[in-house]
Amino acid sequence: MAAVTRGSFTALRRLLTQQYRRRCFRPHGFRSERPLLLLSNNRCLQTLQCRTLHTTMVSRGPVVQFKLSDIGEGIMEVTVKEWYVKEGDRVSQFDSICEVQSDKASVTITSRYDGVIKKLYYDVDATALVGKPLVDIETESNSEVIQEEDVVETPAMAREEHTHQEIKGHKTQATPAVRRLAMENNIKLSEVVGTGKDGRILKEDILNFLAKQTGAILPPTPVHEIHTPGPAQVSAAARLASTSVAIKAPPTTTARAIFTGKDITEPLTGFHKAMVKTMTAALKIPHFGYCDEVDLSRLVTLREELKPAAGHRGVKLSYMPFFIKAVSLGLLHYPILNASMDEGCQNITYKASHNIGVAMDTSQGLLVPNLKNVQLLSVFDIALELNRLQVLGSKGQLGTSDLTGGTFTLSNIGSIGGTYAKPVILPPEVAIGALGKIQVLPRFGSNGQVVPAHIMKVSWSADHRIIDGATMCRFSNLWSEYLQNPARMVLDLK
Amino acid sequence: MSYIRGAWPLLGGRSGVCRCLHRNQLSSSSSSVVLQSRCTDVFQNLALEDWIDANVDLQQRSVLLLWRNHPAVVIGRHQNPWTECDLTAVRRMGIPLARRRSGGGTVFHDLGNLNLTFFTSKKAYDRKRNLKVITDALRSTAPGLDVHATDRLDILLNGRYKISGTASRLSRKSSYHHCTLLHSADRSALSTVLRPSCPGIVSNATPSVPSPVANLLDHAPMLQWEELVDVLVRQYNTEFGFSAVSAFVDPADESAFPGISRAAAELRSWDWTFGKTPKFSVQTVLDLTDKESAVRSSAHLNMEVKHGFVNSCKLFVPDDWLPPHLSAALANALVGERFCRRRASVCVAAVVCDSGDLRGRLRRLSDAVLSVMS
C-alpha cells in the first residue's frame, strides 16, 4: 500500500556488528549480505509506534548507493511515478521510497537500509533503469554496510528468507533490532513469548517483558517525552516511558510529562480565503445594531396546525419560511433596507427583487444561499425552496447562482443556540438579522397574569451610512407584528 | 493496515496448519486457497485485495480471488480521473469512481465482468502463466473458442476483441496480478462514461489504450457464470498443481478481516481518488460571447493542478472586456481550492458578489471557468 510510516528504530537499532553476528548465529549457506529477517508482513515493524529507549547520537556512516532491484519478468526499465521521500529525509529499513510503474505493474520500492536520503537519481516520470542507482542513502556508522548483492536475479534462486537464532535448540525468530534490544537489556529471547507470526518475537514483546520486570533493567530517563507521531526523530521513548511510569513509581529526578505537540501552519486557501475577503470588506461598513424580542406564541400554534398539511405536500415546515416572508412584507414598506450602495457611495440602488439570503452551516463552512423573489412566493413556496437549498447545502452542491444576488440576509443562529448576536452585514447588502432561539419565558398576559410565552430575540445590524435607527426600529416593529399576529399577514397578502 | 493476529480459519493461524507447513515446506508454496467475494462494492473488494496482500503469508500459499462489482469506473494507480472519465456523467449516473493500487488503464466494471486476482510471492510472480489458466479454461469448456493472450497481457477473442485486461502490483515480498474477464457486461454505458471530463488537459499520467471489446456470452452462449467460475478454479488447480477449495468470503466482515473497513474508507476518500493524481495542467480557451449582443470575446485559461488542488491559475482576458484586477481576483480565488466545480463555486461567489457593475461579465467569466472544472 502507499502508506508511508517512518518508524524510527534509528538511534537504538543498529544493523548487526561483526561481533554480535559472530556471537549470535551463522546458519550455513546463508549469505552475509542479508542478515535481516524479512517478514512477510512489513507492516509489523511500521505499525509499532514505540520509539527508542534512550537517546544516542548517531554518527555518520558511509553513503550507500541503493540500486533498483529486479522486479521480474526480465523488465529492465520502469517509470518513476511518485516519490515518498525527499533528500534529507530519514528512512528506516522497509520504509517505502517510491512508486514505479512498468507495463501495467505498479511496484513499491522499499528501503533496504536505515539512514538519510542523500540523493534522488530520478525525477517523477523519468525512466529508471534496473540495476542502476535509485537513491543514495547515508547509513549510520555502526551499521553493517550491506554489500551490494546481485541485483538481477532469476526467480529460481532460492534465498533463505528467515534467520533463526538457535538458543538451547529452541528456534526463535526475531529481527536484528529486536535481538539487539534483548541483548542490551540482558533478556534471553527464549524467555520471551513471541506474539508475531509463527511465534516471532516483536519489539512489543520485549517491551512488555521489560515492563513486567522491576525497574532495574530500564535506564533512568529524567524526562519522559510524549511525542505526537511525526517524522522520524532521534528521541526518547514515548510509549515505553509512559507505560513504565504507570507501572512503577517515577524516578526521583524531576519527571514531568512535557507536551511537545506541534503547531501546524498552513496557508489559507479556497473557501477560507473567500471568507476573509468578504468579512474584511464587510467591516468597512459602519454597522449599528438594534435588538428586540418577539412573542411567537401564536406563530407556534399556527405552525403546529399547518405542519401536517405541509407534510402531506412533501415539505418540512419550520419557522424560517414565516420569518422570511415577514421580512419580505416588511421590505415592501421600507425598501431602503433592500438597497445597495455603489463602490464610491455615490448612488443607491433600490433592488426590486427580495432575494433573502439564509445563512447555513455546511460541511464546507458558512454559506449564504439566497431565495430569489420572495415577494412573489407564498410561505409554502418559501418552505419548498428552503428545503431544496438545505439539501444542496448539506451535499456541498450549492452553485454560484444560489450563492450570489442576495439583497437581505437572515441568520438563524438560534437553531444552534444563543439569544442576542451582532451579525455582520454581507456586502453589497445593507442590513442583516440574526434570530436567537425560541425560549418559553414567563410574561405578563393581557389580564395581568403570568403566562408562558414563546420568546425569540432578534438582533438587526444595518449600514448607518444610509439607514437610520428609526427606520430599522420601525421595520423591526412591523416584522414583529406580523409574527406576533400571523393573521395580519393575511391582510397584506399579495 | 493493522497487524493481524487473529486466526483466519482457511489460512490457518499462528498455530496448527501454518506452522506445520512452514517447518516442512520452507521454500515452495504448494498450497492455495480460492476465495469468492460475496460483496459487490468496488471499494470493499479492492480493500480485500489490499488486506490479502498485506496480511497473508504468500510465501506459504497462493490465493486466487474472484470478485465482481456493481457498475463502477476503476482507474489505475497513476492515472488522471479527469481525462479518463466524464465525472459529471459518472456522478449523475450514480456510478462510483475508484482508484486501484495497481497500475494500468481504466476499466468499467459491472456485474457481468469477472475479476480474478492471483496473489503469489514475488518470486512466483508470472502473469503469462496466470493468463494461460484463463485461456486454457475457456478452451476446455468451449473448444472452438479462439482466445489467446497478447504480449500486452490482454486476452483477445477472435484475434480482435479484448475480453480481458491486466494490471498488477508488486510489494516487497508479495505480488498480485489481477485481470478482468468480460462475460456479459453492459457495453453501452462504457462509451458514455469513459471519455474526458474537460478539454485542454495536459498530463503525464498513464493513458488508457481504448480497444474494441466483446462479451464471452455473445460468442459462447452456453457458458453461464457459475460454469465459468468452476472451470477457472479447476484449471487454476490443474495448472499450478494445487487442490484448492473454493470458499465464499464477505469483505465487509471486520472480524474476519481486521482493519479492512479502514482500508475501504481510505480507498473511498477524495485524497486517494483525486488527490493522488499526478500533476497536470489545463490550457484552454473560454468562450465569453455575450448572448444578447452577440459580441464575441474569449479568454485563455491556464491552470496547474497538483494533488487535485489548483496550484496556480492564470486568466488572460482582454483588458477592455474586464479590468485585469477583477480577472486576477477570480484567478486568485481559485488557487488552493480543490479542482472541483462545487467547491470552486463557493470561492467564486465571494468574488462575484463583490464586483459592482461588472458583475454580469464577471459572472460569465466565472461560469466559463467553472464549466471547465467538473
Side-chain angles (χ1 to χ4, degrees):
Chain A
M1 294 197 336
V4 179
T5 53
R6 307 237 171 87
S8 144
F9 299 127
T10 47
L12 178 63
R13 184 182 71 176
R14 297 175 176 112
L15 298 175
L16 299 173
T17 60
Q18 292 288 355
Q19 184 189 7
Y20 180 59
R21 283 179 59 229
R22 252 185 275 125
R23 223 185 92 200
C24 263
F25 67 96
R26 179 65 79 174
H28 48 268
F30 179 74
R31 292 209 301 236
S32 63
E33 63 271 22
R34 292 211 54 149
L36 305 156
L37 185 67
L38 300 161
L39 302 172
S40 65
N41 178 8
N42 64 357
R43 308 285 177 284
C44 281
L45 296 175
Q46 290 172 352
T47 52
L48 295 176
Q49 290 290 322
C50 287
R51 303 288 190 243
T52 55
L53 271 183
H54 51 262
T55 53
T56 46
M57 290 312 294
V58 177
S59 44
R60 299 230 194 129
V63 174
V64 175
Q65 282 186 334
F66 175 42
K67 301 204 176 97
L68 178 61
S69 56
D70 180 42
I71 48 176
E73 292 186 341
I75 291 166
M76 296 314 293
E77 53 183 46
V78 296
T79 314
V80 175
K81 281 297 187 179
E82 192 175 337
W83 283 106
Y84 295 127
V85 298
K86 50 186 191 305
E87 289 172 11
D89 280 350
R90 188 166 275 280
V91 290
S92 305
Q93 194 190 27
F94 307 146
D95 280 351
S96 301
I97 289 194
C98 65
E99 195 80 21
V100 301
Q101 184 170 260
S102 105
D103 189 27
K104 307 182 199 177
S106 182
V107 189
T108 309
I109 307 291
T110 54
S111 174
R112 208 179 286 138
Y113 314 106
D114 294 341
V116 175
I117 302 283
K118 275 301 184 208
K119 181 175 174 184
L120 302 180
Y121 279 81
Y122 301 101
D123 286 328
V124 170
D125 288 331
T127 305
L129 300 170
V130 170
K132 294 276 180 290
L134 186 66
V135 294
D136 280 347
I137 301 182
E138 182 186 282
T139 56
E140 287 131 35
S141 65
N142 290 345
S143 66
E144 176 75 3
V145 175
I146 294 171
Q147 296 307 314
E148 274 309 309
E149 57 178 73
D150 303 329
V151 163
V152 182
E153 3 173 308
T154 59
M157 202 182 300
R159 268 190 283 120
E160 183 59 60
E161 298 290 349
H162 301 285
T163 61
H164 301 280
Q165 183 179 14
E166 300 248 13
I167 300 173
K168 295 179 189 166
H170 171 66
K171 279 189 181 175
T172 330
Q173 295 180 38
T175 66
V178 173
R179 277 196 288 274
R180 184 154 194 91
L181 186 58
M183 182 191 78
E184 289 189 356
N185 291 288
N186 296 315
I187 295 173
K188 289 207 170 72
L189 280 178
S190 54
E191 289 170 21
V192 181
V193 176
T195 57
K197 225 179 180 62
D198 298 332
R200 191 165 298 144
I201 295 172
L202 307 173
K203 193 162 178 171
E204 259 179 343
D205 300 325
I206 303 280
L207 296 173
N208 284 337
F209 186 81
L210 283 172
K212 291 194 186 99
Q213 307 286 318
T214 50
I217 294 171
L218 287 175
T221 45
V223 170
H224 301 279
E225 288 198 292
I226 302 166
H227 282 278
T228 54
Q233 293 158 23
V234 177
S235 57
R239 220 166 53 180
L240 171 70
S242 47
T243 330
S244 58
V245 167
I247 289 170
K248 56 179 172 50
T252 48
T253 49
T254 51
R256 268 201 322 273
I258 293 176
F259 179 66
T260 52
K262 287 191 160 38
D263 292 343
I264 302 173
T265 305
E266 51 187 35
L268 278 180
T269 58
F271 172 73
H272 294 287
K273 226 166 46 173
M275 194 143 156
V276 167
K277 203 166 171 301
T278 314
M279 292 304 163
T280 313
L283 282 184
K284 289 191 197 131
I285 304 174
H287 284 55
F288 77 90
Y290 174 86
C291 304
D292 200 0
E293 67 171 46
V294 189
D295 184 346
L296 295 180
S297 309
R298 289 211 187 124
L299 185 64
V300 170
T301 323
L302 179 65
R303 178 180 162 251
E304 280 309 310
E305 280 177 31
L306 294 176
K307 235 172 46 167
H312 285 313
R313 291 206 253 168
V315 156
K316 195 162 149 341
L317 188 67
S318 61
Y319 293 107
M320 274 309 272
F322 296 100
F323 299 149
I324 294 170
K325 189 61 186 173
V327 163
S328 175
L329 292 175
L331 289 175
L332 290 172
H333 293 271
Y334 299 98
I336 196 166
L337 290 162
N338 199 51
S340 177
M341 265 212 308
D342 65 359
E343 288 280 305
C345 304
Q346 296 294 323
N347 299 305
I348 177 167
T349 313
Y350 295 89
K351 300 280 169 144
S353 309
H354 299 170
N355 296 343
I356 313 287
V358 176
M360 276 185 197
D361 177 36
T362 67
S363 51
Q364 280 178 266
L366 169 66
L367 293 178
V368 190
N370 55 82
L371 289 83
K372 304 275 193 280
N373 289 311
V374 173
Q375 75 276 12
L376 300 175
L377 299 178
S378 66
V379 171
F380 179 77
D381 293 333
I382 294 171
L384 207 57
E385 178 66 5
L386 190 61
N387 270 4
R388 182 188 75 91
L389 289 174
Q390 277 163 343
V391 164
L392 287 181
S394 62
K395 289 200 273 191
Q397 283 176 9
L398 288 167
T400 323
S401 63
D402 292 326
L403 292 168
T404 57
T407 59
F408 190 100
T409 302
L410 273 184
S411 167
N412 188 15
I413 191 69
S415 61
I416 304 174
T419 50
Y420 292 107
K422 190 169 178 294
V424 176
I425 301 170
L426 294 171
E429 298 171 15
V430 292
I432 182 170
L435 311 169
K437 61 178 185 272
I438 304 178
Q439 299 168 292
V440 179
L441 298 171
R443 290 284 180 271
F444 285 110
S446 49
N447 53 2
Q449 301 282 358
V450 173
V451 291
H454 295 260
I455 303 289
M456 182 181 76
K457 319 271 202 290
V458 59
S459 314
W460 304 102
S461 291
D463 183 342
H464 217 331
R465 296 174 292 182
I466 52 168
I467 318 273
D468 56 38
T471 311
M472 195 70 232
C473 173
R474 292 194 187 105
F475 169 81
S476 176
N477 288 348
L478 182 58
W479 181 80
S480 304
E481 185 55 34
Y482 281 130
L483 294 173
Q484 282 173 162
N485 294 305
R488 270 211 59 184
M489 282 178 149
V490 176
L491 265 187
D492 291 333
L493 275 178
K494 284 198 197 293
Chain B
M1 297 284 271
S2 59
Y3 170 65
I4 174 65
R5 292 166 182 231
W8 189 28
L10 285 171
L11 298 180
R14 290 175 278 112
S15 57
V17 175
C18 199
R19 198 173 249 176
C20 269
L21 273 180
H22 167 65
R23 291 216 169 109
N24 300 333
Q25 296 151 328
L26 275 175
S27 53
S28 67
S29 70
S30 61
S31 70
S32 173
V33 157
V34 173
L35 305 171
Q36 292 190 57
S37 170
R38 272 213 183 93
C39 183
T40 51
D41 175 53
V42 63
F43 301 105
Q44 291 288 149
N45 284 324
L46 287 173
L48 179 59
E49 278 189 326
D50 287 341
W51 192 95
I52 296 176
D53 188 46
N55 290 293
V56 174
D57 185 355
L58 294 168
Q59 317 300 325
Q60 304 309 321
R61 55 167 55 74
S62 308
V63 178
L64 172 64
L65 176 68
L66 300 162
W67 46 293
R68 58 176 171 168
N69 302 314
H70 274 111
V73 174
V74 181
I75 59 175
R77 172 74 173 81
H78 306 289
Q79 290 202 294
N80 183 327
W82 286 279
T83 37
E84 295 303 327
C85 66
D86 184 350
L87 291 171
T88 324
V90 152
R91 262 188 222 124
R92 191 181 57 236
M93 292 160 76
I95 295 176
L97 170 69
R99 180 188 296 268
R100 58 176 189 266
R101 295 197 193 268
S102 54
T106 301
V107 276
F108 179 76
H109 284 190
D110 72 6
L111 290 169
N113 170 47
L114 176 65
N115 297 301
L116 301 96
T117 311
F118 298 85
F119 293 89
T120 58
S121 66
K122 208 158 158 183
K123 282 186 292 179
Y125 175 67
D126 189 344
R127 296 184 289 185
K128 281 205 142 57
R129 200 170 175 196
N130 297 334
L131 292 181
K132 184 166 176 295
V133 167
I134 301 176
T135 49
D136 285 351
L138 290 174
R139 275 190 225 115
S140 75
T141 184
L145 212 55
D146 173 13
V147 283
H148 71 274
T150 65
D151 288 334
R152 283 196 73 237
L153 301 170
D154 296 333
I155 298 183
L156 294 182
L157 176 65
N158 296 343
R160 30 179 317 229
Y161 297 107
K162 183 169 162 180
I163 55 166
S164 166
T166 269
S168 56
R169 171 158 178 78
L170 293 137
S171 314
R172 209 170 43 83
K173 279 280 134 241
S174 58
S175 71
Y176 63 80
H177 161 217
H178 54 203
C179 53
T180 54
L181 191 55
L182 285 174
H183 175 261
S184 46
D186 177 6
R187 295 186 350 240
S188 58
L190 240 146
S191 52
T192 329
V193 152
L194 293 185
R195 56 167 187 223
S197 304
C198 48
I201 294 189
V202 175
S203 112
N204 279 334
T206 315
S208 288
V209 177
S211 327
V213 294
N215 278 318
L216 271 174
L217 200 59
D218 296 336
H219 293 260
M222 304 310 288
L223 184 61
Q224 294 306 315
W225 184 271
E226 289 72 23
E227 197 195 325
L228 177 65
V229 169
D230 282 340
V231 81
L232 283 166
V233 173
R234 260 186 279 129
Q235 191 62 33
Y236 175 73
N237 280 326
T238 313
E239 173 73 33
F240 292 101
F242 297 140
S243 47
V245 283
S246 169
F248 282 95
V249 288
D250 180 12
D253 186 355
E254 181 78 17
S255 56
F257 305 103
I260 200 168
S261 41
R262 196 154 41 94
E266 191 193 336
L267 289 166
R268 273 182 237 264
S269 69
W270 187 94
D271 284 333
W272 173 257
T273 316
F274 294 96
K276 282 290 181 186
T277 310
K279 78 170 189 275
F280 66 96
S281 65
V282 179
Q283 291 157 15
T284 183
V285 172
L286 305 169
D287 180 19
L288 303 169
T289 305
D290 184 345
K291 289 196 183 59
E292 287 115 32
S293 63
V295 171
R296 298 195 70 95
S297 207
S298 64
H300 276 269
L301 172 66
N302 196 328
M303 218 187 254
E304 306 260 319
V305 182
K306 196 170 166 195
H307 299 314
F309 285 86
V310 176
N311 208 19
S312 83
C313 177
K314 290 188 182 54
L315 273 170
F316 302 100
V317 183
D319 281 356
D320 55 349
W321 194 82
L322 195 71
H325 75 270
L326 282 177
S327 44
L330 181 64
N332 200 31
L334 291 168
V335 171
E337 189 51 75
R338 287 187 185 176
F339 186 71
C340 164
R341 186 180 302 180
R342 298 184 226 157
R343 295 256 170 158
S345 295
V346 172
C347 305
V348 153
V351 176
V352 169
C353 277
D354 218 16
S355 52
D357 301 330
L358 293 161
R359 197 177 303 167
R361 288 204 172 166
L362 191 53
R363 265 295 291 277
R364 218 173 321 134
L365 178 64
S366 63
D367 286 344
V369 172
L370 289 173
S371 67
V372 168
M373 303 176 148
S374 61

